[in-house]
Amino acid sequence: MKNRLKVLRAERGWSQWELAELLGVSRQTVNAIENGRYDPSLPLAFAIGKTFGQAIEAIFTPDDAA
Amino acid sequence: MEEPSERTLLWRQFKKRFNPWDALNAFLFTGSWFLARHLVAMPNLSHTVRAAVAFLPLPFLAWVFWKEWRKADRMDELERQIMHRASHLALLVTIGMLLTLGLFERGVGVNLSEFGFAEIWFLPWLFQMVIFVITFKRLEQPSA
């Protein structure tokens, strides 16, 4: 799954630590999601969407999407 | 409200993971194990006393059990997933080790009489920690 987390975070000038704090997860989790190493659970994906004020599908895209 | 600095956030994350009581308990557990190991080998102590001494490290291990139980609730989803994977793989590695040692003892005639439970009890724990750290470090790398 691809995502725009890194871009959205950079736009707001947040560090991975800050975003992790906002989401209530570890910095490693944020890093792993940004690197495409880990796909978050649905609750975490919703929390990410809420944090950035965007829908989940605006942040996450399936690999096979055109 | 002022936004916390990166250093503050780093400290908060560190505090979430590190507890001085855990460090003290780890020290006491290790100390009690070495003490028990020494005492149970003393021939001048009675059998009953030596049997009782063998239980010496268990209260400290019970503390670890309690803390791990509570920590599992506080782990985030990735940490929980990695810990689950590490436990599963550590179990398999332990089975592989015991199985091979058993076959060595039986078939190749390797004398393992000096290599008992007292020497290998911590290995599953060690395997789990090593696999946990490797997996976590691997996640730090960008995917191909």
Side-chain angles (χ1 to χ4, degrees):
Chain A
M1 187 126 66
K2 293 171 187 148
N3 68 75
R4 298 173 50 237
L5 200 61
K6 198 170 189 170
V7 175
L8 293 168
R9 183 173 61 76
E11 281 173 3
R12 282 154 183 80
W14 293 341
S15 65
Q16 287 184 340
W17 287 110
E18 287 167 314
L19 181 57
E21 190 78 3
L22 286 168
L23 295 170
V25 296
S26 65
R27 187 198 62 80
Q28 286 82 359
T29 300
V30 171
N31 186 57
I33 296 169
E34 285 187 359
N35 287 335
R37 287 267 182 192
Y38 175 66
D39 294 332
S41 67
L42 205 50
L44 180 55
F46 271 113
I48 292 169
K50 194 177 172 187
T51 302
F52 289 109
Q54 298 198 19
I56 292 177
E57 57 268 32
I59 302 173
F60 296 95
T61 321
D63 284 329
D64 57 356
Chain B
M1 199 175 80
E2 197 180 324
E3 210 167 273
S5 66
E6 185 129 333
R7 203 172 177 169
T8 310
L9 293 167
L10 181 67
W11 176 242
R12 275 189 210 164
Q13 294 252 347
F14 173 75
K15 275 207 306 189
K16 266 186 197 173
R17 284 173 164 72
F18 181 79
N19 179 338
W21 290 109
D22 291 345
L24 177 66
N25 186 64
F27 177 76
L28 291 173
F29 170 69
T30 311
S32 69
W33 179 72
F34 275 111
L35 182 66
R37 194 180 156 87
H38 175 71
L39 290 175
V40 293
M42 290 179 81
N44 52 336
L45 290 178
S46 74
H47 184 268
T48 315
V49 171
R50 279 187 282 154
V53 163
F55 292 96
L56 198 62
L58 287 188
F60 303 106
L61 196 62
W63 167 274
V64 176
F65 181 88
W66 166 243
K67 294 295 285 188
E68 287 294 319
W69 183 273
R70 290 186 60 198
K71 197 171 85 181
D73 293 334
R74 292 200 309 271
M75 280 180 175
D76 77 14
E77 57 184 54
L78 179 63
E79 288 171 323
R80 199 172 293 143
Q81 187 176 311
I82 294 172
M83 188 55 92
H84 183 260
R85 186 186 299 179
S87 302
H88 181 67
L89 292 177
L91 175 68
L92 288 176
V93 173
T94 305
I95 289 170
M97 180 191 71
L98 293 176
L99 182 142
T100 310
L101 286 175
L103 290 173
F104 265 43
E105 190 178 31
R106 191 181 171 88
V108 192
V110 175
N111 183 11
L112 299 174
S113 59
E114 295 299 315
F115 190 69
F117 291 124
E119 281 74 32
I120 64 167
W121 64 268
F122 65 94
L123 287 176
W125 213 345
L126 182 71
F127 294 152
Q128 188 201 32
M129 280 194 283
V130 169
I131 295 168
F132 183 84
V133 170
I134 290 171
T135 312
F136 233 118
K137 287 286 168 199
R138 193 174 150 266
L139 286 169
E140 293 274 305
Q141 312 297 322
S143 63

